């Protein structure tokens, strides 16, 4: 993940690193969940794991290291799955990358009313203005948030949009995994 561009914060760098990793796997992939751990703490407390992850002493100590978790269970809605997660104290934050279809704001006025979730998904998938997007959203225990969005039609690291409030609903769901 050495092509990750410089970013202003460790959280932004982690989100871009995860986006780059997911990009390397290609499209049409299931959601992926990551724990975010303090790199310096990881090196000190888990030197074997740090070595496995390629974190040597020459790298900066101010970053966050994403650690991919087991695959998410198939068939279980994402919000239900996230409601079952509890992180140990060593985890500073978490991130999720997920692919979805989205419509431009101009299409929202033409959405038929009263559609079930399944019929709405089908309607969006068939809409001529739909866009496939990969969203990577991360949150820290302290409330910090960051997101990266990559459109399938503009699948390039230079076209990734970042911001702290791009996917607020997903960020809220991830933040809830740290609620006591």
């Amino acid at each position: 993940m050495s092509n990750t561009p410089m970013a202003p914060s460790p959280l932004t760098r982690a989100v871009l690193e995860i986006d780059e990793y997911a990009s390397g796997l290609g499209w049409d992939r299931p959601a992926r969940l990551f724990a975010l751990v303090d790199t310096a703490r990881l090196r000190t407390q888990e030197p074997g794991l740090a070595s496995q992850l390629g974190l040597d002493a020459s790298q900066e100590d101010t970053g966050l290291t994403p650690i991919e978790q087991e695959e998410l269970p198939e068939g279980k809605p994402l919000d239900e799955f996230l409601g079952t997660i509890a992180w140990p104290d060593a985890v500073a934050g978490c991130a999720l990358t997920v692919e979805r279809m989205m419509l431009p704001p101009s299409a929202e006025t033409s959405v038929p009313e009263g559609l079930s979730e399944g019929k709405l998904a089908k309607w969006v998938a068939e809409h001529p203005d739909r866009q496939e997007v990969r969203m990577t959203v991360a949150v820290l225990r302290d409330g910090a948030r960051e997101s990266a969005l990559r459109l399938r039609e503009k699948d390039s690291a230079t076209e990734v949009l970042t911001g702290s409030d791009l996917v607020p609903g997903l960020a809220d769901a991830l933040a809830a995994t740290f609620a006591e």
Side-chain angles (χ1 to χ4, degrees), residues 102-112 120 123-124 127-130:
M102 65 179 227
L103 295 174
S106 60
E108 290 178 14
T109 59
S110 64
V111 176
L120 177 61
W123 183 84
V124 170
H127 196 283
D129 295 331
R130 74 186 177 282

Side-chain angles (χ1 to χ4, degrees), residues 81-139:
F81 171 72
L82 291 176
T84 67
I85 295 175
W87 297 102
D89 291 339
V91 174
C94 66
L96 182 80
T97 183
V98 63
E99 296 175 14
R100 292 291 186 256
M101 294 280 194
M102 65 179 227
L103 295 174
S106 60
E108 290 178 14
T109 59
S110 64
V111 176
E113 290 188 33
L115 292 180
S116 68
E117 191 173 318
K119 288 184 179 182
L120 177 61
K122 184 176 190 247
W123 183 84
V124 170
E126 294 172 350
H127 196 283
D129 295 331
R130 74 186 177 282
Q131 294 282 326
E132 290 180 75
V133 63
R134 182 182 302 116
M135 302 174 282
T136 303
V137 180
V139 299

Side-chain angles (χ1 to χ4, degrees), residues 11 92-93 138-146 164-165 171-172 174-176 178:
L11 185 57
V139 299
L140 296 179
R141 284 184 187 274
D142 69 8
R145 298 170 175 215
E146 188 62 67
S164 61
D165 202 29
D172 289 344
L174 289 173
F178 291 104

Side-chain angles (χ1 to χ4, degrees), residues 9-136:
S9 77
L11 185 57
T12 303
R13 285 191 298 274
V15 165
L16 290 172
E17 185 176 325
I18 293 167
D19 172 76
E20 181 182 343
Y21 168 74
S23 175
L25 298 173
W27 286 87
D28 303 318
R29 300 290 180 174
R32 293 181 131 62
L33 181 66
F34 299 82
L36 299 175
V37 297
D38 178 88
T39 302
R41 185 174 175 186
L42 178 64
R43 252 192 233 114
T44 302
Q45 295 179 350
E46 298 285 343
L49 178 57
S51 178
Q52 271 186 309
L53 295 172
L55 301 173
D56 61 38
S58 67
Q59 293 174 311
E60 69 175 274
D61 280 339
T62 60
L64 294 165
T65 298
I67 301 175
E68 188 170 6
Q69 304 300 290
E70 293 181 22
E71 284 191 23
L72 280 63
E74 284 188 46
K76 188 168 192 173
L78 188 58
D79 57 339
E80 285 180 25
F81 171 72
L82 291 176
T84 67
I85 295 175
W87 297 102
D89 291 339
V91 174
C94 66
L96 182 80
T97 183
V98 63
E99 296 175 14
R100 292 291 186 256
M101 294 280 194
M102 65 179 227
L103 295 174
S106 60
E108 290 178 14
T109 59
S110 64
V111 176
E113 290 188 33
L115 292 180
S116 68
E117 191 173 318
K119 288 184 179 182
L120 177 61
K122 184 176 190 247
W123 183 84
V124 170
E126 294 172 350
H127 196 283
D129 295 331
R130 74 186 177 282
Q131 294 282 326
E132 290 180 75
V133 63
R134 182 182 302 116
M135 302 174 282
T136 303

